[in-house]
Structures are given as C-alpha cells and as structure tokens.
Amino acid sequence: MRGPVVFGMSGGRQLVRFAGVGGVNTAVHLSVFAAVRAVVPQWVAHVAATVVAMTGSYLLNCRFTFGVLPCARSLLLYPFSHAGSVLVSTAAMLVLVESGVDGRLATLAGGVCALPVTFLLARGAVTAGARKRVGS
C-alpha cells in the first residue's frame, strides 16, 4: 500500500527526496562553515552556515520535495520543524550512548531516527496554507 499523497506525490517518494535535500543541506552547511571559520569565531561561522543551509533546504524542499511555492508563512514555520529533529536525535543518541554504543555512531543513528519526525514536521510547515503547486 502506498503512503499518503500530498500534491500528487506519495509520502515515500517525498521522504527519499527529503533525505536527498538533507544531504545537500549538510554539504552546504559544512562548506559555508569551513569558508567563514577562518575569519570569524566558530559560533558565528556555525550560525551563518545554519542560516544559509536552512534557507537553501527550505527552497529545495518547497520546489523539489513538496512541489509548492515558497511563502512567508512556511518560511517562518520551517526552522521550527527542525526542533523535533533535535529532540528525537538527542534522545536517541543519549539512550544509545548509555547502552554502550560509541558516541559517534550513536549521533549518526540518532539523526537517522529523527528523519521521519523531521520529514513530517517539515512537510506540515512547508505545505501549510499552500495553494499552488510548482508548475501549475
């Protein structure tokens, strides 16, 4: 049985695209961080990289993953969708580390555990009030 359809694409297909956008997001974050870290403090580089990467992720998810046009409301909601990711990944990481799993592996596994939660929250944020499909 297929997952729910949002704007003509199954949830499973959207999840795969969402994960791909996440990979691009990670690469952008690391690239921006590395580029500006030499001239600003580490925390400033991290914040700058996060803002650039999250903006790109939002735009890619609107267009490529969910097929909606960007709007101010969804742009403002989008960062909050990642709060669920932080909570789930942190909880999973702590449980895994307490059970003896190496911290690096636990961090990676925590991120994988958080993917479905982040996807659902991001889909809700990006498609909130969306009336037009891209290409319509």
Side-chain angles (χ1 to χ4, degrees):
M1 180 158 198
R2 296 177 77 162
V5 176
V6 176
F7 299 116
M9 188 185 312
S10 73
R13 190 166 165 204
Q14 286 180 340
L15 181 60
V16 170
R17 287 182 173 210
F18 183 78
V21 168
V24 171
N25 179 43
T26 300
V28 168
H29 185 280
L30 293 174
S31 298
V32 171
F33 179 81
V36 299
R37 174 59 186 103
V39 294
V40 298
Q42 183 170 348
W43 72 270
V44 174
H46 172 68
V47 170
T50 299
V51 168
V52 170
M54 190 168 283
T55 302
S57 176
Y58 166 75
L59 294 170
L60 285 172
N61 277 314
C62 282
R63 172 80 172 124
F64 181 69
T65 305
F66 302 115
V68 298
L69 295 172
C71 68
R73 180 177 183 211
S74 64
L75 176 62
L76 293 173
L77 289 173
Y78 188 74
F80 294 107
S81 70
H82 290 276
S85 173
V86 171
L87 294 173
V88 171
S89 63
T90 302
M93 179 196 63
L94 291 172
V95 167
L96 290 169
V97 167
E98 286 296 317
S99 65
V101 175
D102 178 80
R104 292 168 294 192
L105 182 58
T107 300
L108 179 61
V112 171
C113 290
L115 183 63
V117 172
T118 308
F119 168 73
L120 292 172
L121 293 172
R123 181 170 69 177
V126 169
T127 61
R131 294 187 197 138
K132 295 181 181 178
R133 290 179 56 190
V134 172
S136 297

